[in-house]
Amino acid sequence: MAFELVKLNYAYDALEPVIDKETMEFHHDKHHQTYVNNLNNLIKDTVFEEASLEEILTHLDHAPEDKKNGIKNNVGGVFNHNVFWESMTPGGSKEPIGEIAKKIDEKFGNFEAFKEEFNKKGAGQFGSGWVWLISDKEGNIDVIATPNQDCPISCGKIILLGNDVWEHAYYLKYQNRRAEYLKEWWKVVNWDIVEQRYQNRNHNECSCGCGC
């Protein structure tokens, strides 16, 4: 079962002026597609050939030793970007809703303090990586950053929201101004999907064939 590049739910220019059309085209059609192609090649004739992205990410110890790093990097590249595209919507949805809004207030005090912590972690990630709002199955939330294409679900966490801080995500418009990109990005966040992910945090079960 070969993975395919996900289709965007909006036009390439729909997130402007926050993210420009050219960046979206390169990011989705080139960078993300490359991760998809690499992953399909790497998992051929392995235990992961019929597995889902989630199953691969949570069972990386079953990867062939000579392919382990490649599979880890590319399955993260595919999954993380899938989350990223879905985390955004034209015009954004302004503020958190439902249970996740309450959890953010409980954890961080208020929405502005949460955004400050998220932006701080994203700006402070050395080199390439991601910044995330995550949850555990009990519903406890936190903000973390991860390097490269590392994915929080490999450590048993549930992704609620993620922003890409690799330079290819913002450099054409913002150059070295990552902090400005992080600040502007809130204008396109899809809080409906964040709440949906929080509500569904206990609904993922493993059915892979890797002997777990």
Side-chain angles (χ1 to χ4, degrees):
M1 181 181 68
F3 293 108
E4 296 181 356
L5 180 67
V6 297
K7 295 181 179 179
L8 298 177
N9 294 323
Y10 38 80
Y12 291 115
D13 62 356
L15 302 180
E16 291 184 342
V18 177
I19 303 178
D20 58 284
K21 178 181 178 181
E22 188 176 13
T23 294
M24 290 295 296
E25 289 174 336
F26 275 107
H27 197 173
H28 179 265
D29 294 2
K30 304 298 184 183
H31 290 282
H32 196 180
Q33 182 70 69
T34 297
Y35 288 121
V36 173
N37 294 343
N38 288 344
L39 180 62
N40 285 330
N41 289 331
L42 284 163
I43 64 173
K44 186 177 180 181
D45 298 324
T46 74
V47 70
F48 295 140
E49 196 163 21
E50 299 297 325
S52 69
L53 295 172
E54 292 86 350
E55 289 164 351
I56 299 172
L57 281 163
T58 52
H59 297 85
L60 288 169
D61 55 324
H62 293 271
E65 197 61 38
D66 61 333
K67 295 184 176 181
K68 185 169 290 186
N69 285 337
I71 290 175
K72 174 186 175 182
N73 292 335
N74 286 282
V75 69
V78 176
F79 186 86
N80 293 348
H81 283 94
N82 288 354
V83 170
F84 179 63
W85 307 128
E86 193 179 46
S87 294
M88 300 182 291
T89 189
S93 49
K94 309 310 177 187
E95 294 184 355
I97 61 171
E99 288 189 37
I100 194 59
K102 296 176 184 178
K103 296 300 292 188
I104 285 174
D105 286 345
E106 290 173 6
K107 174 70 175 180
F108 300 97
N110 56 57
F111 182 43
E112 291 303 316
F114 158 70
K115 289 196 295 183
E116 182 178 345
E117 178 66 13
F118 193 98
N119 291 350
K120 179 181 177 181
K121 288 284 179 67
Q125 171 56 44
F126 182 77
S128 301
W130 294 77
V131 55
W132 310 98
L133 172 63
I134 59 167
S135 173
D136 59 22
K137 290 186 177 181
E138 288 70 41
N140 303 301
I141 65 170
D142 202 0
V143 170
I144 64 169
T146 58
N148 303 314
Q149 293 297 351
D150 288 7
C151 183
I153 75 169
S154 296
C155 301
K157 302 302 181 181
I158 297 147
I159 295 173
L160 304 177
L161 180 66
N163 193 2
D164 189 345
V165 294
W166 283 63
E167 285 190 343
H168 63 240
Y170 61 87
Y171 202 83
L172 292 182
K173 179 176 176 66
Y174 298 94
Q175 287 81 51
N176 64 324
R177 304 187 306 276
R178 183 191 288 183
E180 182 181 345
Y181 159 70
L182 286 160
K183 181 179 179 181
E184 292 297 307
W185 184 72
W186 297 107
K187 296 176 181 177
V188 294
V189 168
N190 184 351
W191 284 107
D192 292 331
I193 198 66
V194 178
E195 172 67 6
Q196 181 180 323
R197 290 170 182 160
Y198 187 76
Q199 294 287 345
N200 293 339
R201 65 187 180 276
N202 292 315
H203 295 173
N204 295 324
E205 295 182 359
C206 180
S207 60
C208 74
C210 58
C212 61

